[in-house]
Amino acid sequence: MEGFSVIQEIMTYFQNSMNQYIGLLMTHLLISFKALFWATIIGLPLGYLSFRVKILAELFQTGSQLLRIIPSLAVLFILIPLVGVGEFPALIALTFLAIPAILINTALGFHEVPVITKEVARGIGMNQKQLFRRIEVPLAMPYILNGLKLALVEILASATLATYIGAGGLGTLIFTGLGLYRMDLLLIGGGTVTLLSLISIALFDFIIRKVQKNHV
C-alpha cells in the first residue's frame, strides 16, 4: 500500500507541477551540456599534448588524479569565496570535474594507435597533418568518445549538488525531498538523473560501436 501511495504522489506531482519539473530538467541539462562543452574544449588539447610531451603527460596525469579524488561538493564550496554562488561557480566546478576523464582517455586513444599503422602511412607519403587527420584521430576516436561519455555521466550526477549553491536543476527535487521526507520527490529527481545517465551511456556506446565498425 505504501508503494502504491508513493506512485499516486508521483502522478499527482506531474499533474500539478509539470512546468516546474520541465524547468528543473532543462536547467539541469543546460548546465550539464555547457560543462561538457568547456571540459571538451580544455580536455581534448591537453590530452593530445600529454600524448606528445612526456613531461606534460606526467603533470596532467597527476593533476587529473587529484581532481578525481576531490569530492564534488568540496569543489563547489571551495569556489564560493572566489566567485560566489549560482550557475557560474557550478559550471566551473562541473567543468573541472569532467576534464580528467576526457584528458586521460584522449591521451590513451592516441597512445593506442598502432605504430606500424603510422609507419605505413608515412611510407606512402603522408605528412604529419595528414597522419593526424586520417589515421590518429579516427583510430583514437572510440577512446575520446568513451572519455566524453564518462565525463557526461560524472557531470549529470554531480550537477545535482549544484543546488547547494543556487544553480538549480534536478537536485532541487532531491534535496527538497530529503528535507520534507517526500519519497516522491526523491524518486522523481534521482530517477530522472539515473535515466539521463543511462540514456547518455547507451547513446555514446552506440556511437562508439558505429565508429569502431567504420574503422575495422
Side-chain angles (χ1 to χ4, degrees), residues 30-42 91 94-95 98 102 147-153 155 204:
L30 185 61
I31 193 171
S32 295
F33 285 120
K34 281 182 180 179
L36 182 65
F37 172 79
W38 288 113
T40 302
I41 293 296
I42 298 169
L91 182 59
L94 292 173
T95 298
I102 298 174
L148 294 176
K149 176 185 73 175
L150 295 174
L152 181 55
V153 171
I155 290 170
F204 270 103

Side-chain angles (χ1 to χ4, degrees), residues 48-213:
Y48 183 71
L49 279 174
S50 69
F51 159 68
R52 299 289 296 180
V53 184
K54 187 175 180 180
I55 296 176
L56 290 179
E58 295 175 358
L59 178 64
F60 292 155
Q61 292 285 339
T62 302
S64 295
Q65 294 302 325
L66 288 174
L67 283 175
R68 280 185 160 184
I69 63 175
I70 299 175
S72 305
L73 196 57
V75 176
L76 289 169
F77 283 144
I78 288 171
L79 288 172
I80 290 176
L82 301 176
V83 291
V85 297
E87 180 182 324
F88 185 61
L91 182 59
I92 295 174
L94 292 173
T95 298
F96 275 101
L97 289 170
I99 288 173
I102 298 174
L103 190 158
I104 291 171
N105 281 274
T106 298
L108 177 62
F110 283 104
H111 276 296
E112 290 297 315
V113 177
V115 175
I116 185 66
T117 303
K118 292 191 282 187
E119 290 178 351
V120 169
R122 290 190 184 98
I124 62 174
M126 283 191 187
N127 57 35
Q128 185 57 45
K129 288 184 179 179
Q130 291 171 323
L131 178 66
F132 174 78
R133 187 175 68 254
R134 298 183 185 179
I135 303 297
E136 291 183 324
V137 170
L139 293 179
M141 189 56 66
Y143 295 90
I144 295 172
L145 290 171
N146 189 57
L148 294 176
K149 176 185 73 175
L150 295 174
L152 181 55
V153 171
E154 172 78 18
I155 290 170
L156 288 170
S158 298
T160 58
L161 300 175
T163 299
Y164 267 126
I165 59 173
L170 294 168
T172 302
L173 289 175
I174 295 172
F175 293 116
T176 301
L178 285 171
L180 300 178
Y181 300 100
R182 291 273 303 274
M183 183 59 68
D184 57 325
L185 297 182
L186 283 171
L187 289 174
I188 292 169
T192 302
V193 173
T194 301
L195 183 60
L196 290 174
S197 298
L198 291 175
I199 291 172
S200 300
I201 292 170
L203 181 60
F204 270 103
D205 284 345
F206 174 77
I207 296 172
I208 289 170
R209 286 194 297 270
K210 285 289 186 181
V211 171
Q212 288 174 327
K213 184 178 179 181

